[in-house]
Amino acid sequence: CYIIVMAALLFLGMIGWTFWSLFAQNRALDLITQEEKTSLPASVLDAAHASSLRDRLAGFGECAKAGRPAELSLSVEEINHIICQAPDSGYGTYRDIVRVTGTEPGGNQLIARLCMPLKRLKFWEGRFRYLAGEGTFKIEIHEEGLDAKLVDVKVPGKAVPRGFVGNLEIWPWVAPYRKQEPLGTILKGIKKAIVTPEGLKLSTTP
């Protein structure tokens, strides 16, 4: 009987801790998010530039799929154009979420404006709050090819908890596209990614 009582108390304690954690996280998010979506600046290339970029991407993609040596240099403006043209990842369209604003070559990082939709505690209501600020993306290469990891977030006038940033590192920015062919094969064919002062340089050779 004593063991049953102790087990019941432990179980109730775990449930209580879970609910307390959820409410605490929800309050913390309320402090760094906003009610309204922030519009990100449009990314528009002229027709000739967009056509040239499309051809360069197609040529690089064919080499990546075939395992042939190739390099592709992208400016910040071109990266944003690709973001705005990218298909829905399954987590929404990135054109409303992220826009690259600069680079940090020393850390192989891209700096971007963010407007990330985050679900509320009452997720069944279908309402979002928005994390609007600046994000730092670490560009990496692993066995599945190109990847981008959100490693830092700044919200003007607000302190972002370090633990929250750690949770955002698992946000699947590139992973959903690995399931969309031929993008998955192309991403896996990228063996090197270097952030430059102008943008990003990709290569199919290590």
Side-chain angles (χ1 to χ4, degrees), residues 10 28 47 60 69-70 75 80 83 102 104 114 133 145 150 156 192-193 203 205:
L10 179 61
F60 181 79
S75 67
N80 283 329
I83 289 172
E104 286 187 0
L114 299 174
L150 185 58
K192 183 165 63 177
S203 176
T205 57

Side-chain angles (χ1 to χ4, degrees), residues 51-63:
S51 177
S52 172
L53 175 61
R54 200 159 44 243
D55 291 342
R56 288 162 52 211
L57 288 170
F60 181 79
E62 290 301 318
C63 289

Side-chain angles (χ1 to χ4, degrees), residues 180-192:
Q180 300 183 23
E181 292 296 343
L183 283 175
T185 302
I186 293 172
L187 288 169
K188 195 168 185 176
I190 298 173
K191 305 301 183 183
K192 183 165 63 177

